[in-house]
Amino acid sequence: MSALAERLAADEVKGRSLWADARSRFIRNKAAVGGLILLIVITLYALAAAHVSPYAYDTADFMIMGHAAELGAPSWESGHYFGVDNDGFDVFVRTAFGTRISLFVGIVGSAIAVIVGTLYGATAGYVGGRTDQIMMRIVDILLAIPYMFVLILLLVMFGRSLFMLFVGIGLLSWLSMARIVRGQTLSLKNKEFIQAAQAAGVPAWKIILRHIVPNLLGIVAVYATLLVPDMILTESFISFLGLGPAPPVTSLGALIAEGAGTMRYGYLWSLNAPLAFFVLTQFAFFFVGDGLRDALDPKDR
């Protein structure tokens, strides 16, 4: 009996960490796990398709160019698994390359927004007072600027490139993150462990980086996961308008625009593949984001 009691007492003392509990609840969410598996599959396809297909994303098949409706249908024998578009490019490889670019824009753009917004919002919330008022009024002014108009204007003035796309997306995308983090920081700054660090003479920047930011990782992770599909949607919309990266670089939005233009010729394989991967990627990120939000919600513990 004493050995059993000691083992039960040890298990009770050991307990479970927040992240272990969140991981357990995330795994029980079938939709979230399915979304994560789907994201892994899409990422593997985007990275490995060029090694599977004998065709390159920027090399056209001149024998089929202009005759895709008759000769460019999907075929395993020719190696054109998703068919050929009207310009002679292999849709399988182009869709994989476009998916890679869209994921890259979404993930990098979200990372920029999360890092800048988290540090800005945590600083404003922790310092407080006049500094907080000035920093948040700057955020309010920037939020009043039409985001899409600024992005289109930058791309028209300085040229179509991934760099300008990142600049335009990162310019204003961190503002909502800053407001969310600032609100959470206001509720954390009066906690006992923060007051203890202040009493010990820890500098403000160390308190922000070592105590405030780590306690915001849950909400930051959820917001980042939900921000990625929004970034992909923005990039796809810009590319659909013809303002995305210049050819031969492409993205899912540009491929969807090209595929929509071929519908009048009576074939849809140029549209179906990029559209399907765009929709699946969006759904996968939303499912993963919802799963993380439920797993990290303290009211569910």
Side-chain angles (χ1 to χ4, degrees):
M1 288 294 293
S2 60
L4 178 61
E6 290 177 0
R7 187 165 67 250
L8 291 176
D11 292 339
E12 183 177 354
V13 170
K14 183 178 180 181
R16 300 179 65 183
S17 69
L18 167 65
W19 294 104
D21 192 43
R23 182 171 61 252
S24 176
R25 277 183 280 131
F26 182 86
I27 292 174
R28 291 198 300 268
N29 190 326
K30 295 181 179 179
V33 173
L36 181 60
I37 294 174
L38 182 58
L39 275 180
I40 294 173
V41 172
I42 291 174
T43 303
L44 291 176
Y45 160 71
L47 296 176
H51 303 287
V52 175
S53 174
Y55 303 99
Y57 78 94
D58 56 352
T59 302
D61 189 338
F62 296 101
M63 299 297 295
I64 302 179
M65 182 181 297
H67 302 282
E70 298 83 11
L71 305 175
S75 171
W76 286 92
E77 296 180 359
S78 64
H80 296 298
Y81 308 122
F82 291 169
V84 179
D85 63 17
N86 205 49
D87 294 324
F89 293 106
D90 181 73
V91 178
F92 178 80
V93 176
R94 294 277 286 177
T95 301
F97 186 82
T99 302
R100 189 190 313 171
I101 293 297
S102 293
L103 287 174
F104 180 71
V105 170
I107 293 173
V108 174
S110 299
I112 295 173
V114 166
I115 293 173
V116 176
T118 299
L119 295 177
Y120 190 94
T123 301
Y126 179 77
V127 175
R130 185 180 297 274
T131 301
D132 178 33
Q133 293 296 322
I134 294 174
M135 293 178 71
M136 297 316 296
R137 294 300 75 77
I138 293 174
V139 170
D140 293 338
I141 293 172
L142 292 176
L143 281 173
I145 299 175
Y147 167 63
M148 193 60 66
F149 174 77
V150 173
L151 180 56
I152 293 175
L153 186 63
L154 287 174
L155 291 171
V156 171
M157 291 178 59
F158 298 103
R160 299 160 52 188
S161 66
L162 283 177
F163 174 76
M164 287 310 305
L165 198 59
F166 285 134
V167 170
I169 290 177
L171 190 63
L172 299 175
S173 58
W174 58 273
L175 299 174
S176 297
M177 184 78 245
R179 299 185 73 172
I180 293 173
V181 169
R182 183 249 184 186
Q184 294 296 316
T185 303
L186 290 176
S187 64
L188 282 174
K189 64 184 294 185
N190 295 321
K191 298 292 185 180
E192 291 79 2
F193 65 94
I194 298 296
Q195 294 176 350
Q198 292 171 342
V202 179
W205 66 272
K206 285 189 177 181
I207 293 178
I208 292 173
L209 294 179
R210 294 184 179 180
H211 300 288
I212 299 292
V213 173
N215 282 279
L216 297 173
L217 288 181
I219 189 170
V220 167
V222 173
Y223 186 81
T225 309
L226 296 176
L227 190 60
V228 172
D230 186 50
M231 294 287 183
I232 294 176
L233 183 61
T234 300
E235 182 277 327
S236 297
F237 176 72
I238 291 297
S239 297
F240 189 86
L241 295 178
L243 296 173
V249 177
T250 189
S251 66
L252 290 178
L255 292 174
I256 291 172
E258 294 172 5
T262 64
M263 293 177 64
R264 63 180 180 270
Y265 299 119
Y267 63 94
L268 297 176
W269 54 79
S270 294
L271 174 64
N272 289 341
L275 183 61
F277 276 92
F278 174 79
V279 172
L280 290 175
T281 303
Q282 293 285 313
F283 274 117
F285 273 111
F286 283 135
F287 286 148
V288 172
D290 287 340
L292 283 175
R293 181 181 59 195
D294 295 340
L296 296 170
D297 191 348
K299 294 182 291 185
D300 292 341
R301 292 201 290 271

